Amino acid sequence: LPPRFGHDTFTGRMMYMFDQFDPRPLLATQKQLEQAKQLVERYRNWQVEPEEETLRRAQKLVEVSLHPDTKEPIPWPFRVSAFLVIGPPIGLGLIQPNASIASVAFWQWANQTHAACLNYANRPIASNAFGKSSEMMNIPNLNGGAPIQIENRALISYMGAVGSAMAVSLSVRSLSMHLKNKAMLLLAPVCGVISASVANLYLTRQHELSEGIEVCDPETNECLGKSKVAAKKALIETAISRAVLPLPAIGLTPFMFQYLNSAAWYRSLGTVGALSVRYVGLLTMTWATVPPSFALFPHRGSLPLSRLEPEVQRAGSRVNCTEVSYNKGL
């Protein structure tokens, strides 16, 4: 089924991401997900011809719930459709005024833990990504069923990422307090988030630079091998998106809320009322600005075959392929 929104333009990708951010698919049961998956597969095999809207709903549920490479369910907190559920509460903790060191450390830990899990759950999967069983650790699956396997090296990367996140955020906070610069203090959360998010992404997926990621024939989706060139491009594009992503919600809202503090009506709301206003404001800002950040680059990237490694070029030449596609990751 042709996509409702084209992925060739930024506007098309942005509208697609707004659609993907819809949290309603999170309410679907495992049975409904399996039925949607079967319907899409049967349609692709010319076995059924359902109504277009029925097929689009099923396709959307499959896209937001299953990993594009493995076709296995992504744990729901790490799906794109869960971002509006998970992101705003963490963001509210990050930008709270006059936060203590313990509070800054906790919320940066929570944010970077979610970011690391988001990176890992949506990363490109190579055919041997899970390696040997001795290199794996099993954790409970939030969707039920078989445990989720996580590479030990990913856990090591996660610990390094969380450590760097807390170090950067606390250092920026300390510097802003020393300089007694109010604006810098308000920008401390977003500086920490951007620096740590990029470091988090690199540490979680650094092995892709040395091992490469799978590249495919865009026509047949046949794997042509692994490419380090594609891996580098995928990580750079994802890092740029991650750097832009928190700027409006975490960078601008502290100044907005600082301005609101001078309004009598806002002060009259009390603690719960003011917190509610901040939450709604942050939720609205997140909804309006995060999808465009994710849409900066296509989710499936492409590269001319001539720019890739010789072994990939040979594999592509055998199938008359001039361009390859790859999963950039989220």
Side-chain angles (χ1 to χ4, degrees), residues 14-80:
M14 181 177 66
M15 296 304 298
Y16 171 77
M17 289 307 302
F18 273 116
D19 187 53
Q20 298 288 290
F21 264 61
D22 180 3
R24 289 176 296 177
L26 295 174
L27 301 176
T29 63
Q30 186 68 25
K31 181 179 179 181
Q32 290 172 322
L33 178 57
E34 285 297 325
Q35 291 174 341
K37 182 180 178 181
Q38 291 173 9
L39 178 61
V40 172
E41 290 177 349
R42 292 176 64 193
Y43 172 78
R44 289 173 177 170
N45 294 328
W46 303 92
Q47 296 175 348
V48 293
E49 190 67 34
E51 294 182 0
E52 181 176 333
E53 282 304 312
T54 300
L55 182 58
R56 286 197 181 278
R57 286 196 296 269
Q59 184 172 312
K60 175 180 176 179
L61 179 58
V62 168
E63 286 180 350
V64 301
S65 304
L66 304 183
H67 192 282
D69 292 340
T70 66
K71 308 304 179 185
E72 292 296 323
I74 299 171
W76 77 262
F78 314 130
R79 298 175 187 174
V80 175

Side-chain angles (χ1 to χ4, degrees), residues 13-308:
R13 293 193 299 270
M14 181 177 66
M15 296 304 298
Y16 171 77
M17 289 307 302
F18 273 116
D19 187 53
Q20 298 288 290
F21 264 61
D22 180 3
R24 289 176 296 177
L26 295 174
L27 301 176
T29 63
Q30 186 68 25
K31 181 179 179 181
Q32 290 172 322
L33 178 57
E34 285 297 325
Q35 291 174 341
K37 182 180 178 181
Q38 291 173 9
L39 178 61
V40 172
E41 290 177 349
R42 292 176 64 193
Y43 172 78
R44 289 173 177 170
N45 294 328
W46 303 92
Q47 296 175 348
V48 293
E49 190 67 34
E51 294 182 0
E52 181 176 333
E53 282 304 312
T54 300
L55 182 58
R56 286 197 181 278
R57 286 196 296 269
Q59 184 172 312
K60 175 180 176 179
L61 179 58
V62 168
E63 286 180 350
V64 301
S65 304
L66 304 183
H67 192 282
D69 292 340
T70 66
K71 308 304 179 185
E72 292 296 323
I74 299 171
W76 77 262
F78 314 130
R79 298 175 187 174
V80 175
S81 55
F83 202 91
L84 290 179
V85 178
I86 305 296
I90 294 177
L92 205 59
L94 286 169
I95 64 174
Q96 61 180 310
N98 304 316
S100 65
I101 292 179
S103 178
V104 171
F106 172 78
W107 287 111
Q108 285 289 348
W109 167 82
N111 184 56
Q112 294 309 318
T113 296
H114 180 249
C117 292
L118 195 70
N119 290 340
Y120 191 82
N122 294 277
R123 76 199 187 285
I125 302 292
S127 58
N128 64 344
F130 287 137
K132 301 177 181 178
S133 59
S134 61
E135 298 173 348
M136 304 304 301
M137 177 177 291
N138 293 330
I139 63 172
N141 190 332
L142 298 178
N143 295 314
I148 301 171
Q149 290 186 310
I150 295 184
E151 299 163 88
N152 288 337
R153 63 184 175 187
L155 292 177
I156 295 173
S157 297
Y158 159 72
M159 289 186 288
V162 171
S164 66
M166 296 175 68
V168 169
S169 59
L170 290 175
S171 297
V172 172
R173 179 183 182 276
S174 176
L175 179 61
S176 61
M177 295 287 285
H178 177 73
L179 297 176
K180 298 180 180 179
N181 188 315
K182 186 65 175 179
M184 187 175 181
L185 183 61
L186 293 176
L187 288 172
V190 74
C191 290
V193 169
I194 291 175
S195 300
S197 292
V198 174
N200 193 323
L201 175 69
Y202 172 74
L203 289 169
T204 305
R205 293 175 54 181
Q206 61 173 320
H207 63 279
E208 295 175 13
L209 296 175
S210 58
E211 299 176 7
I213 58 175
E214 288 188 349
V215 293
C216 305
D217 181 344
E219 297 295 329
T220 64
N221 209 33
E222 176 186 353
C223 178
L224 302 176
K226 291 184 182 181
S227 170
K228 298 177 185 177
V229 176
K232 181 179 179 180
K233 184 171 183 284
L235 282 179
I236 290 175
E237 291 178 346
T238 306
I240 293 174
S241 295
R242 289 297 176 86
V244 173
L245 188 152
L247 280 174
I250 308 300
L252 295 180
T253 50
F255 292 93
M256 295 168 53
F257 298 151
Q258 182 70 17
Y259 174 77
L260 285 178
N261 286 334
S262 61
W265 67 268
Y266 180 76
R267 294 196 303 269
S268 67
L269 294 176
T271 303
V272 176
L275 185 63
S276 299
V277 170
R278 291 200 297 270
Y279 181 81
V280 172
L282 187 59
L283 177 64
T284 303
M285 183 70 79
T286 300
W287 174 82
T289 62
V290 171
S293 300
F294 278 120
L296 287 176
F297 302 99
H299 186 60
R300 289 204 68 86
S302 62
L303 276 170
L305 183 67
S306 59
R307 290 181 54 186
L308 302 182

